Amino acid sequence: MPSTLPLFLDCDPGIDDAIALAYLSCQNDVDVVGIAASGGNVATSQVVENTRGWLSLAGRSDIPVHAGHALPLARQTPQTAPDEGLEYADLTHGETGRGYAHLPAPTDPVSSVSAAQAWVDAAHAHPGQLLGVVIGPATNLALALDIDPELPGLFKRLFIMGGAFNYRGNTHPTTEWNVTFDPESTSKVLSAFSTAHTNGRLKHLPVIAPIEATEAVEMTPDRLTEIRNGAKASGQPWQAMVAELSEALRFYFEFHESDGLGYLAHIHDPFVLACALSWARQISSASTGAEPEEPNTDVREATATAPVRGAAGQLPWVTTRWAPVDVELTGTLTRGETVADWLGRWGRPVNAEIIRTIDATAFLDHLSTTLMKGPLA
């Protein structure tokens, strides 16, 4: 199958990011035009090495990796001490961000193009077709908007893993990690994409997958064993990839158990990537009249008219609701909280489709099958 879906991925590996990279390596109809390695779960320099290591292990060193900015937006002023008080998620993902996994030293160089510029270049190379997926902080996409404020109008659609709506956080009491790490960037991105849609330059508003939905996607030791056993028929290189993913997940299981959640792992990121790709495939199928691939969800091209607040959207594996969304930037207790105006009190237009529930079993079955098969020759 020819490459038909241009994709730019922004990630911060991170253990669940690693699973997303493995899943992406198994997609033979996706043109991965670039990957931004953004600081978040661990520092940017380590994220870059992790991303390159996982891609090397997966046999995808051909994908260009772009180093992200080392600091969130609020730290990029001369008045702030660069690293003072900056926290990473090493308790969750390990000091290196890869748990117990051991990755090969990558041999291909890091791209000389910054992550922010790479976002711009990818969108201009694929105007109206680029699928953007952000599964880490949105820092570099926000910086890309400084380079080209008209950037959102070049996207097919943007998918974001982040936020917590009316839900306990996994960082502070009401906030999720990706947004908490750089709240200004998420706010800036949502505002820019909303403006582009209002002005008729963007057909599809962003999708946000918050933790109250993605926490339903639980990897368990039994399912992981099934994947490892199934991958034995995929050849030694892919078996090595799955083996190291298992080592990373072993650390992730232990963290979740220590956090009182049981010996399992919430794997947020691969779901968001898979949902984005499945949506894009079905949109493409609808426009060409071809039969869509699984899951066979009724997804149709939306018009440029803003959806109605509170109405249900249409995405694979999920239920969704449309709403105006913003990010709290100044609250002493709630900085980084994502807020949806469910009742219309702001008087603002809808600017996002928010995932509310996920058919986790159906998705996990799809993920397991994909990882067992490995990349197609």
Side-chain angles (χ1 to χ4, degrees):
M1 182 183 297
S3 296
T4 56
L5 300 176
L7 169 82
F8 193 92
L9 177 68
D10 204 318
C11 59
D12 62 335
I15 294 170
D16 54 333
D17 303 76
I19 303 171
L21 290 172
Y23 178 86
L24 182 59
S25 300
C26 298
Q27 312 304 309
N28 68 330
D29 64 335
V30 179
D31 179 12
V32 187
V33 297
I35 294 179
S38 299
N41 284 323
V42 287
T44 300
S45 59
Q46 184 66 59
V47 167
V48 170
E49 292 308 295
N50 291 350
T51 303
R52 297 169 69 214
W54 286 115
L55 290 175
S56 177
L57 196 58
R60 291 306 311 269
S61 295
D62 58 299
I63 300 174
V65 175
H66 305 273
H69 199 285
L71 301 171
L73 295 190
R75 297 299 186 96
Q76 297 180 28
T77 61
Q79 292 77 26
T80 57
D83 296 323
E84 184 179 344
L86 193 60
E87 297 179 4
Y88 297 105
D90 47 296
L91 288 177
T92 306
H93 298 271
E95 290 186 4
T96 63
R98 54 179 78 159
Y100 298 124
H102 295 279
L103 302 181
T107 56
D108 293 324
V110 178
S111 172
S112 61
V113 179
S114 71
Q117 184 63 53
W119 269 112
V120 175
D121 294 347
H124 280 274
H126 302 278
Q129 297 302 314
L130 185 69
L131 191 66
V133 179
V134 178
I135 54 177
T139 306
N140 294 293
L141 181 51
L143 291 171
L145 294 170
D146 292 336
I147 300 172
D148 183 0
E150 303 301 316
L151 188 63
L154 297 172
F155 276 65
K156 179 76 167 181
R157 199 169 198 185
L158 176 67
F159 284 71
I160 298 172
M161 190 281 123
F165 296 92
N166 309 108
Y167 189 71
R168 60 162 178 78
N170 65 354
T171 305
H172 300 304
T174 63
T175 69
E176 176 275 334
W177 176 258
N178 287 344
V179 179
T180 302
F181 189 82
D182 192 350
E184 282 79 9
S185 69
T186 305
S187 177
K188 183 175 181 177
V189 165
L190 289 175
S191 176
F193 277 74
S194 177
T195 298
H197 186 270
T198 299
N199 293 340
R201 294 186 292 106
L202 177 67
K203 195 166 191 177
H204 300 285
L205 282 167
V207 173
I208 300 176
I211 58 169
E212 66 267 24
T214 58
E215 282 185 349
V217 185
E218 296 180 348
M219 178 63 71
T220 63
D222 287 346
R223 184 176 287 275
L224 181 57
T225 298
E226 177 187 1
I227 292 171
R228 288 195 65 170
N229 289 338
K232 290 178 180 178
S234 300
Q236 197 281 326
W238 189 248
Q239 290 177 41
M241 176 68 168
V242 173
E244 294 305 332
L245 285 175
S246 298
E247 285 300 285
L249 279 163
R250 182 163 63 89
F251 185 96
Y252 218 24
F253 291 153
E254 292 173 1
F255 164 75
H256 283 78
E257 184 176 46
S258 71
D259 218 26
L261 299 172
Y263 198 74
L264 49 81
H266 296 149
I267 53 171
H268 316 270
D269 294 341
F271 168 77
V272 180
L273 174 63
C275 184
L277 290 174
S278 183
W279 173 83
R281 290 185 181 109
Q282 293 183 54
I283 288 296
S284 297
S285 296
S287 64
T288 61
E291 287 295 321
E293 297 181 6
E294 65 170 351
N296 189 19
T297 305
D298 182 17
V299 180
R300 296 182 293 272
E301 280 273 18
T303 66
T305 304
V308 177
R309 174 183 48 78
Q314 294 176 324
L315 288 172
W317 293 299
V318 304
T319 63
T320 66
R321 288 292 183 271
W322 296 96
V325 174
D326 209 338
V327 181
E328 176 58 52
L329 301 179
T330 60
T332 57
L333 298 177
T334 58
R335 173 172 158 78
E337 181 177 351
T338 47
V339 183
D341 182 15
W342 302 113
L343 299 178
R345 301 296 194 240
W346 294 338
R348 302 183 196 174
V350 167
N351 67 346
E353 183 175 359
I354 306 171
I355 294 176
R356 304 310 294 149
T357 64
I358 296 172
D359 186 344
T361 299
F363 166 68
L364 285 163
D365 288 346
H366 167 74
L367 177 68
S368 298
T369 299
T370 302
L371 295 181
M372 284 189 284
K373 289 180 179 177
L376 298 178

